Amino acid sequence: MDNRDVLGRSMVLPPPPLPTKEPFRTSSTSPQETMPPTSTPPAPNRPLPPTPSSRKDTTHSRSGSVSSTFSSPSPPPTQPPPLKLQALLSAISETRPETASPLGKKAGHSRLHTQSSWTSLASTTRSIKYGRGKHSGVELSPQPSDDPEDPLNWHRWRKEISFHALLLMVALTGVMKTAFISVNAQAADGHRVSYTAAAALTGVPLILSAFTGLASLVTSKICGKRPLYLISLVLLFIGTVWNTSVRTSYSQCLAARVFQGLGWGVIDTLVQSSIYDMFFEHERNLRVSIYTIIVITTTWGPPLLGGITPRGQAGFELQFTVLSCFFVLAVPAIALGVPETAYDRTNTLPRIGEGSESPYKESMCQSIRQDRIFDAINDYIVKMKPYSYTRGSTDSVTLLEAPRAFIAPTPLILFFTSFLPYSSLWALSSSLSLLFHSVHTTATIGVLMTGPWLLATATATVLAFLPLFIPRLQSRFPVLSSIPTQFNNKVTTAAITAGSVLAFIGILTFGLHTNAGIDNGEISNTNLPAISFILGLLAAGAYVFDAISRPLIRLSTASTSLSDNQTTATRHENDMAAGVACWRALFAGILVIAVPSGISSSSSGAALSSGHGLRDMCIGFAVVQTVIAAIVAGVWWFYGEEVRKWDGRVMKSGDSGAAGKGSKGREGSFFDTD
């Protein structure tokens, strides 16, 4: 019988059972003598069992005979020659082992690369965690801890629910801010107050939001962000519901707006910080861009519809009645969808020795085993406590970071560059009802906000998503390879110039064109589409400055914290961005109240000034903005590194002297993409 398989290859058959009477056969026998006649060889296409090991080595010859001999003891394994240290290190680096993450998909990353420490090769290892999918080659930044309650390790659905719940509150806040822009004149008539007092219904909440924003930044480092979100939700709910029944009482209407302004500050300053808490660095840019677009759209779009509401019997209160209905979604969304995002991971990234286990291993395995939907829901609801922040070592230096960020050179320079375009946009928009209510309806006045809404949204969208197309265009058209992809002095100067030109044209043209139509205290002849477009140019210029704030702050935070302490750098970045936003809100509220007094000729604000007050004011704003922009562009061009060094000194960071080109910190890129 030829021992070959179906492919014609020689195969080895298993040894036959040995007779019990002759346990040690030394002579060769034929298969017919040693195998029972009823036994059949295994089928060729079946897997063959492994050869059993015994004291004898049994071999099968191609002819079918079986020979058995006593096995001699195997020689000891040969030891490999010792490797030199350089060869050992290169061998370890080339064969870096890969192991699955203990968190699996929950952690948002797919594998761990374990590298041995060169200083302690046998005792210490450091786990480097990487992304998933198309980001599988991206080292996660910041590195998440092994704790499943770390916001960076949350399920994707948990992060998205929290993100969209916060966006809902951002949208409601934006609608509240501009609720009176197109109906200020009707509010003044209904409450029998001056137009300036009616404008204060918008200006006072903006001023209060600046102070509550600063307070919320400091408080969040003590008690976390979730309690502040819940308090803000209660304040906004009370103020909105209260505003539905205050038509005849100005004091109650102003009190309701005060409640709203106190709640705005928390949303304006902490939402971006929560996005940074939940998402990795390569995931943030898309979410922050969406957040910015939502802020602009919901702030300048609703006045288009707000001008229609005073026609009905409910008057301007109908806007707040509609807003109150949305709290049916907002209350459960914030209460059940936004856990605590503040997390101190400075002490949760230990170096784990070989053979040791993570202190969170048991909790991770338990959370992974709970796959049933009801158990997951129950576990999720139990963890949604009003206060669950575990505060680490919060000292006076950490608590004073937010006030210092408000007076750091970079935030102050960004504020002085952008406050006139931003504040003028708010002030002139709030004065539209004063200028045109005598000859146009509130619906027509609301339509004037079409230009700011469209151009501001388009500007923010283009500047947010332009980084996605620049690399593709450069790869397709090599001529465009000279376009800078880093936020350098040239990009800064070009952005400041573009924003200033748009703001200059918008402010100056609005004042000249509108003042030309004033006759005997009333608007007689104006081109409303032109007015809307001019305001749109002003809005586009204001949000060009807003777009350059984040990259410049990010460039500064590379020098305001230790080069290896990304937690401090991220905290400084959020505090500085919030500082710029609070300064803008403060001065926008002041101008909203002050501008109507400058363009009206009577204490009641019913008649417009015939002494060219609006024209002179707009000319002054345009000239001052041009001078400020020229000074700031020169400062950034010649003293950019010195400004960043002073940021480090003000923030009292240990690595403040490493600013500039020699810094090993993160480099701020204007074209950072997801």
Side-chain angles (χ1 to χ4, degrees), residues 553-561 563 655 658 663 665-668:
I553 289 173
R554 183 179 176 84
L555 182 63
S556 175
T557 56
S559 307
T560 56
S561 60
S563 58
D655 200 27
S663 177
R666 299 175 296 114
E667 294 184 357

Side-chain angles (χ1 to χ4, degrees), residues 485-521:
T485 58
Q486 296 290 328
F487 203 84
N488 51 25
N489 290 336
K490 294 182 180 179
V491 176
T492 304
T493 305
I496 292 176
T497 303
S500 298
V501 168
L502 291 174
F504 179 85
I505 294 174
I507 296 175
L508 184 62
T509 308
F510 182 89
L512 296 177
H513 182 75
T514 306
N515 185 80
I518 298 177
D519 185 15
N520 295 326

Side-chain angles (χ1 to χ4, degrees), residues 197-213:
L201 295 175
T202 301
V204 170
L206 286 174
I207 296 174
L208 290 176
S209 68
F211 291 101
T212 55

Side-chain angles (χ1 to χ4, degrees), residues 40 42 65 68 91 127 135 155 162-163 222-223 240 262 286 312 319 324 329-330 403-404 493 497 522 529 599 617:
T40 58
S65 61
S68 301
S127 298
H135 302 296
H155 287 275
S162 180
F163 175 64
I222 301 175
C223 63
T240 304
L262 294 175
L286 177 61
Q319 297 183 76
S324 301
L329 299 176
R404 288 184 181 132
T493 305
T497 303
E522 292 185 356
I599 63 178
M617 181 182 62

Side-chain angles (χ1 to χ4, degrees), residues 219 223 225-238 259 262-263 266 334:
T219 309
C223 63
K225 299 181 179 67
R226 177 169 167 79
L228 299 178
Y229 284 139
L230 296 177
I231 294 174
S232 173
L233 177 66
V234 173
L235 292 174
L236 293 176
F237 179 75
I238 293 175
F259 272 88
L262 294 175
V266 178
I334 297 298

